[in-house]
Amino acid sequence: MSELNTPDISVVVPVYNEEPNIDELCSRLVKVLETAKRSFEIIVVNDGSKDHSMQKLFEWYHRYPNYFRILEFNCNFGHHNAILAGFEHVRGDITITLDADLQNPPEEIPKLLEKMDEGYDYVGSYRLGKRQDVCWRCWASKFNNKIRARITDIQMSDQGCMFRAYRRSIIDAIVRCGDYTAFIPALAYKFSSRYTEVGMRHAPRFRGESKYGLYYLLRTHFDWMTGFSLVPLQLFTLFGFALSGFSFLLVLYILGRRLCIGPEAEGLFTLFAILFFMLSVVIVGIGLIGEYVGRTYQIIQKRPRYILKNIYQQSDDDVVLKR
Ligand code: UDP
Ligand code: MG
């Protein structure tokens, strides 16, 4: 590396219980980046791993102290917060994010760099061929992509793929915006002026299991829905207008019927069915408003998005090497 403080490329990797993947990840990353003939740093963010990921990372840090920097959280703050922490510490002009489980093969990094060299400030990726995840994840992801494209102005083919490259200006904007539940690919899209995508190979997880259950995916879905669009609320308002119009016509009809034919004796269960339907719509509406209110509440609280226990790196102006 020509100058430690200003590498050309910063690679940010979030790590949570990835002990069996770290050797393979680091050796492949170092190999690819060394052949790219640019200065680089690899920032690994240990997101409160409970296995021996940290020890493994130390081995790599001691072997290549000029390449590796480790940010250690004091407990688990989640994938996106780990990436945000990495963003707050990057020094390179180009930042690349990828997962630690080797589903994003590091050998594809040159494709991202090629596109960045063409002048784009944000390069996303989409997974080529069959996605190497369980079926329900693939379907949920397709569904999410479709809804997002309709209710937000964010147009990307594969929002779930974190294998991406960002110009420094985009990183700075994301760091400045201080969003509590940031959905990084979408935030970056908002701030970018030249976005493009490249197709990437997608491998099955090298070792271990995915950290994401159904609940986490639902949360992420709500995050970008409430963080990037007011359309769900507006749809509800529109639906409310349509429903009140329909109810008004129904009241007129029933009134007319009562005057002409007499009181209605049957139809009790139909009434219940309509009532239950209305009730469920109201409950969903309240939940939806709750999502927005909860999000605002979190932003107002201004709690730290993560807490750093330690930073391991070669001496720097602003950070003391703590080991
Ligand atoms: N990860 C993290 N914190 C978490 C969960 C995941 O830093 O709370 C990291 C994980 O180590 C991996 C990346 O985020 O590097 C993606 O996680 P995973 O492979 O489990 O997600 P999937 O590929 O199944 O979406
Ligand atoms: Mg994965």
Side-chain angles (χ1 to χ4, degrees), residues 202-238:
H202 188 238
R205 197 170 227 287
F206 187 64
R207 301 242 170 85
E209 283 178 1
S210 169
K211 315 293 179 299
Y212 287 161
L214 184 61
Y215 176 71
Y216 188 93
L217 285 178
L218 276 176
R219 270 253 53 86
T220 322
H221 180 76
F222 281 128
D223 266 358
W224 65 251
M225 197 167 77
T226 54
F228 294 90
S229 172
L230 289 179
V231 170
L233 281 183
Q234 287 156 351
L235 281 181
F236 246 86
T237 314
L238 287 179

Side-chain angles (χ1 to χ4, degrees), residues 14 16 18 47 76 79 100-101 103 137 205 210-212:
Y16 180 55
E18 301 286 5
D47 184 15
N76 180 248
H79 185 182
D101 58 359
Q103 288 202 274
R137 288 281 308 265
R205 197 170 227 287
S210 169
K211 315 293 179 299
Y212 287 161

Side-chain angles (χ1 to χ4, degrees), residues 5-23:
N5 286 339
T6 52
D8 297 329
I9 307 166
S10 297
V11 177
V12 173
V13 191
V15 164
Y16 180 55
N17 294 344
E18 301 286 5
E19 181 187 346
N21 297 325
I22 286 177
D23 284 340

